[in-house]
Amino acid sequence: MRVSVSIALGTLLVAPAAQAADLTVNVEIPRINAAEYHRPYVAIWIEDAGQKSVADLAVWYQQTEGKEGHGTKWLPDLRQWWRKSGRNLKVPVDGITAPTRPVGKHALKLDQKHPSLAKLPAGKYTLVVEAAREVGGRELLKIPFEWKGKSPSTGKAQGKDELGLVTLSAKP
């Protein structure tokens, strides 16, 4: 597996409003021309100021048994997520884990009642999106944002290899 890690910090835009009540994350999985293509595994989570994982939002992986075994075997390839949260998580988890996604744009919309966000106190956080692909590479993007602040937050980060454009919107 070729390993290429790029980190892009997103932009943070702030405008006046009330408390954030929902979070929308859009993730683009780009088309890659390769002789042997496999859908990427993707983990989306939130880190606090100390870079500690505080909420898992989504983990997309192969959930069926294949000729090479079950897809959980390769979850450690999502190295950052695995070290911070994955190895302590018993998958599958309702509302968080799902099958791998095809090439295209995928939206993740969560309100403050979602189990991952319900106990998240107001403050400044970082959204982290990591993708790893068999016979491919690995990429990590980060977008800082404020949750339940006085203002809504938006941000974006552009991937180079395994991820396309990732956008975030936290609205009151």
Side-chain angles (χ1 to χ4, degrees), residues 86-124:
R87 62 181 161 198
N88 300 319
L89 195 66
K90 185 173 180 165
V91 294
V93 179
D94 284 343
I96 295 175
T97 55
T100 57
R101 304 293 166 94
V103 170
K105 296 178 181 177
H106 305 280
L108 185 66
K109 296 181 180 183
L110 307 169
D111 64 23
Q112 62 186 11
K113 295 178 185 173
H114 188 276
S116 297
L117 298 175
K119 296 178 181 174
L120 190 66
K124 293 184 179 182

Side-chain angles (χ1 to χ4, degrees), residues 62-139:
Q62 176 190 337
Q63 296 188 309
T64 58
E65 186 88 19
K67 61 183 177 184
E68 297 175 352
H70 198 276
T72 54
K73 178 180 176 181
W74 292 283
L75 284 174
D77 287 350
L78 294 166
R79 293 183 196 162
Q80 290 291 316
W81 172 77
W82 185 255
R83 287 183 195 136
K84 294 184 177 193
S85 174
R87 62 181 161 198
N88 300 319
L89 195 66
K90 185 173 180 165
V91 294
V93 179
D94 284 343
I96 295 175
T97 55
T100 57
R101 304 293 166 94
V103 170
K105 296 178 181 177
H106 305 280
L108 185 66
K109 296 181 180 183
L110 307 169
D111 64 23
Q112 62 186 11
K113 295 178 185 173
H114 188 276
S116 297
L117 298 175
K119 296 178 181 174
L120 190 66
K124 293 184 179 182
Y125 297 96
T126 301
L127 175 83
V128 185
V129 180
E130 182 177 22
R133 190 170 51 86
E134 183 181 356
V135 195
R138 189 168 67 87
E139 189 164 20

Side-chain angles (χ1 to χ4, degrees), residues 40-60:
Y41 280 28
V42 176
I44 303 169
W45 73 97
I46 295 173
E47 291 181 351
D48 63 12
Q51 298 184 343
K52 179 183 174 193
S53 176
V54 293
D56 286 309
L57 302 181
V59 180
W60 302 336

